[in-house]
Amino acid sequence: MAAEKSPEAPAPRLEEEQVGGYVSEHSNFDSLSASSKERDLLADETADAALGRKVHLVNNAIDEIGWTPYHSKLFMLNGFGYAVDSLVMLLQSVVAGQAFTEFGEHGYATGMTIALYSGMFVGSLFWGLGADIIGRKHAFNYSLILATIATIVAGGMPNWESLGFFIALLGFAAGGNLVLDTTVFLEYLPGDKQWVVTLMAAWWGIGQAITGFIAWGFLVPGQWNCSSVETCTKANNMGWRYVMFTSGALVLVMSVARVTVVKLKETPKYLLGMGEDAKVVETFEYLAKKYNRPCSLTLDKLQACGSIRVEGKSKFSFGETFGHIRGLFTTRKTTISTLMIWLSWMMIGIVYPLFYAFLPTYLENAGADVSVTPYEKWRNYALTNISGVFGPILAGWMCNLPFLGRRYTMLIGALLTAVFFFAYTAVRTADQNVGFSCAIGFCLNIYYSVLFAYTPEVLPSAHRATGNGVAVAGNRIMGALSAVIATEADTSTSAPIYICGALFAGLGIVAALFPFEPYGRRSS
């Protein structure tokens, strides 16, 4: 739904109370004390005063209940979703070589990359907008189940075209799951724990490492992998299929755990935006009772804030869809913020893959000898991905420091990544190659993990999944474009290497100029 400001009677003035360290006046939102109002990040940017007042009360209730075992479960199972997304994003790149050898003689060499990113582009938009319309819960669960099916079925495909179709379907499912992992987790978090969304990105590195270990086990030349197009058959080239089947089995375990362990309730902020005040109170009363926590939020207090108006005659009307896009541009500040976030996602979507597309030719022309055995290749791949686990852990600590916050943590991560991009051009040996790859994996994930968390933090709750989905979709379409550029462009020139490094430094500067700093504030 999309809420817009509507005429309403002045809400009755209720008592002021202290809840979870935050002052709340259940009256006109505009009359809140400065110390109370400034805690809510988008307090001055809402287009619906009634919704703003209700969000303020819901934030107070979340802080009052605090961190519970329910949040710990969400951290684990939403983290599984992160791991799945990174795992399946790498699957196409690790299996494409052997699959192409088997039956891709007349296919497009980078077709799997384009298929994956195209699927993720559509999935990010579909599930992002869908989560704002039908709710977080169903999209959250269904997207992971669909990813399970697509991964397993892809491993049984008989030709390049059918494999591409299921890789695209896999991308479609994973693209939505990625949008919802952060959205669902954030909408249950107390204000002083929002930094944990950044820490959760450590699961991204875990998923990448799992892919690396699976590839290391099945793709080393031997009984499961053919060596030439002429002798390659399904019977002697099962390695890439085993990678898909094993990965699919892991995703299945995660999808089953997600619906049986957590039994997710719809997020209160989605229910709030839909006008379901009674269900909001019911959710908080359930958590308070289950974990023996106080909860002073009542239906009367929410209703005293006034009514919100839903755009569109039905959930699936054009007015409803357009309302979610329009809701991201309610004020000048939110407009600038939304556009800068989308720009950042698009830039990193093309810069990072292009750097690695042009790098091998550059190193070869510079006289570097980075050749390794197939065993060492997949070992190094696993090591590089393991290094990505620790970047978000450091970023989670950094972004909760008052003198850094989210913006300057992203600046530091991006600048360090740019430094190693430039330094990579000096690599001349295989050991240096893996060392710099690990350093980049670590530094890149400092930036990336905060960007993943920052994006939903600064988006309005009623349109959060839509804004997040468009951001990720922009990233994916640029990733698909990078695959085309890498195939068609001249890779012998060194200029793209330095341009990519400079653009990454530019990403850090853009982050430092973001108009909102969520540190010490509560998301809408």
Side-chain angles (χ1 to χ4, degrees), residues 345 348-349 443-453 475-476:
W345 279 92
I348 197 173
C443 295
L444 174 70
N445 277 301
I446 294 176
Y447 171 84
Y448 227 152
S449 62
V450 183
L451 182 64
F452 267 114
N475 178 274
R476 302 320 180 199

Side-chain angles (χ1 to χ4, degrees), residues 234-269:
K234 179 179 178 180
N236 67 4
N237 194 47
M238 289 294 292
W240 72 268
R241 298 179 188 275
Y242 292 151
V243 169
M244 298 300 291
F245 295 149
T246 303
S247 301
L250 287 175
V251 178
L252 176 62
V253 171
M254 294 177 188
S255 61
V256 171
R258 176 171 282 186
V259 298
T260 58
V261 176
V262 170
K263 297 179 181 177
L264 179 73
K265 286 182 168 292
E266 187 55 81
T267 67
K269 289 185 177 178

Side-chain angles (χ1 to χ4, degrees), residues 404-458:
L404 289 179
R406 276 53 158 176
R407 294 180 296 184
Y408 292 115
T409 299
M410 282 188 278
L411 172 64
I412 292 171
L415 291 180
L416 287 175
T417 304
V419 167
F420 281 107
F421 270 12
F422 289 125
Y424 212 139
T425 60
V427 165
R428 295 295 179 269
T429 68
D431 289 342
Q432 292 172 347
N433 184 38
V434 69
F436 274 92
S437 294
C438 289
I440 288 177
F442 175 83
C443 295
L444 174 70
N445 277 301
I446 294 176
Y447 171 84
Y448 227 152
S449 62
V450 183
L451 182 64
F452 267 114
Y454 179 91
T455 300
E457 270 192 295
V458 299

Side-chain angles (χ1 to χ4, degrees), residues 247-489:
S247 301
L250 287 175
V251 178
L252 176 62
V253 171
M254 294 177 188
S255 61
V256 171
R258 176 171 282 186
V259 298
T260 58
V261 176
V262 170
K263 297 179 181 177
L264 179 73
K265 286 182 168 292
E266 187 55 81
T267 67
K269 289 185 177 178
Y270 168 77
L271 294 173
L272 195 68
M274 295 300 295
E276 301 282 358
D277 292 353
K279 291 184 179 179
V280 173
V281 174
E282 179 184 325
T283 297
F284 285 122
E285 288 178 343
Y286 165 80
L287 292 174
K289 181 178 180 181
K290 183 175 178 66
Y291 300 108
N292 194 27
R293 302 295 173 86
C295 180
S296 57
L297 182 68
T298 66
L299 182 59
D300 288 341
K301 290 177 181 179
L302 284 177
Q303 291 180 339
C305 292
S307 302
I308 64 172
R309 183 165 57 192
V310 179
E311 293 190 59
K313 295 181 179 180
S314 72
K315 283 188 175 184
F316 304 99
S317 66
F318 176 79
E320 177 78 5
T321 302
F322 180 72
H324 286 298
I325 299 295
R326 186 173 60 186
L328 301 168
F329 303 95
T330 54
T331 68
R332 181 176 181 272
K333 194 172 181 180
T334 56
T335 297
I336 293 172
S337 175
T338 298
L339 294 177
M340 290 180 72
I341 289 171
W342 289 354
L343 174 65
S344 297
W345 279 92
M346 292 177 70
M347 285 177 63
I348 197 173
I350 196 167
V351 169
Y352 185 63
L354 274 185
F355 177 82
Y356 280 103
F358 285 94
L359 185 65
T361 302
Y362 173 84
L363 293 178
E364 182 180 348
N365 292 339
D369 182 11
V370 295
S371 58
V372 292
T373 66
Y375 175 86
E376 291 171 329
K377 170 187 173 182
W378 295 113
R379 180 204 63 188
N380 295 347
Y381 192 82
L383 291 174
T384 301
N385 289 325
I386 288 174
S387 68
V389 175
F390 302 99
I393 296 175
L394 177 60
W397 174 74
M398 291 173 62
C399 76
N400 205 39
L401 297 174
F403 57 89
L404 289 179
R406 276 53 158 176
R407 294 180 296 184
Y408 292 115
T409 299
M410 282 188 278
L411 172 64
I412 292 171
L415 291 180
L416 287 175
T417 304
V419 167
F420 281 107
F421 270 12
F422 289 125
Y424 212 139
T425 60
V427 165
R428 295 295 179 269
T429 68
D431 289 342
Q432 292 172 347
N433 184 38
V434 69
F436 274 92
S437 294
C438 289
I440 288 177
F442 175 83
C443 295
L444 174 70
N445 277 301
I446 294 176
Y447 171 84
Y448 227 152
S449 62
V450 183
L451 182 64
F452 267 114
Y454 179 91
T455 300
E457 270 192 295
V458 299
L459 294 172
S461 58
H463 320 290
R464 177 172 287 130
T466 297
N468 204 4
V470 173
V472 175
N475 178 274
R476 302 320 180 199
I477 199 64
M478 298 306 284
L481 180 61
S482 73
V484 177
I485 294 174
T487 301
E488 304 298 335

Side-chain angles (χ1 to χ4, degrees), residues 68-108:
T68 69
Y70 186 75
H71 295 88
S72 299
K73 292 179 182 179
L74 284 178
F75 178 81
M76 296 295 292
L77 295 182
N78 288 43
F80 284 173
Y82 251 38
V84 167
D85 295 328
S86 62
L87 185 154
V88 300
M89 278 190 66
L90 289 183
L91 278 180
Q92 61 81 24
S93 64
V94 302
V95 306
Q98 284 302 127
F100 192 74
T101 301
E102 180 181 331
F103 44 54
E105 185 178 357
H106 302 294
Y108 194 65

